[in-house]
């Protein structure tokens, strides 16, 4: 993680996202092991749902913390880096 150009708030948000992603990675590793062990499908699906929720939370955290920057940072031509329609599309892919 390149924190050179980040504010303290942005660094904290990035750490929170990375923690969520690492937790989801660990959960997914556990789900894979459960499938390999032939565990009950209800247990597997429950844990897989937990992984999915963790990834969704990470995605929403990314959007929530970066939304203002994406809408206010301008490209060379003066347009926002991302417009409202694009942001909505990204948001809805997580919903």
């Amino acid at each position: 993680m390149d924190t050179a150009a980040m504010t303290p708030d942005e660094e904290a948000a990035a750490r929170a996202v990375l923690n969520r992603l690492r937790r989801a990675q660990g959960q997914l590793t556990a789900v894979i092991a459960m499938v390999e062990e032939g565990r009950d499908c209800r247990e597997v699906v429950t844990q897989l749902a937990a992984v999915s929720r963790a990834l969704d939370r990470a995605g929403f955290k990314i959007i929530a913390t970066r939304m203002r920057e994406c809408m206010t940072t301008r490209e060379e031509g003066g347009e926002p880096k991302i417009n409202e329609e694009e942001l909505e599309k990204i948001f809805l892919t997580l919903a």
Side-chain angles (χ1 to χ4, degrees), residues 15-93:
R15 278 193 305 276
V17 168
L18 287 171
N19 287 340
R20 288 172 191 240
L21 291 172
R22 287 185 182 110
R23 191 174 2 216
Q25 183 179 33
Q27 289 172 314
L28 184 56
T29 298
V31 170
I32 291 169
M34 291 172 75
V35 171
E36 289 174 342
E37 295 166 4
R39 301 273 294 272
D40 181 69
C41 68
R42 288 175 291 217
E43 293 177 47
V44 173
V45 170
T46 298
Q47 291 305 310
L48 193 56
V51 173
S52 180
R53 283 189 305 274
L55 291 173
D56 288 344
R57 280 193 214 92
F60 284 121
K61 182 73 171 174
I62 290 168
I63 288 174
T65 58
R66 302 300 296 219
M67 186 181 309
R68 182 176 296 135
E69 178 189 336
C70 287
M71 294 297 289
T72 59
T73 303
R74 304 282 176 180
E75 295 289 352
E76 287 183 29
E79 292 295 316
K81 286 175 76 174
I82 188 169
N83 64 40
E84 229 176 286
E85 289 176 6
E86 292 171 313
L87 189 61
E88 180 180 357
K89 184 177 179 180
I90 291 168
F91 184 79
L92 290 175
T93 60

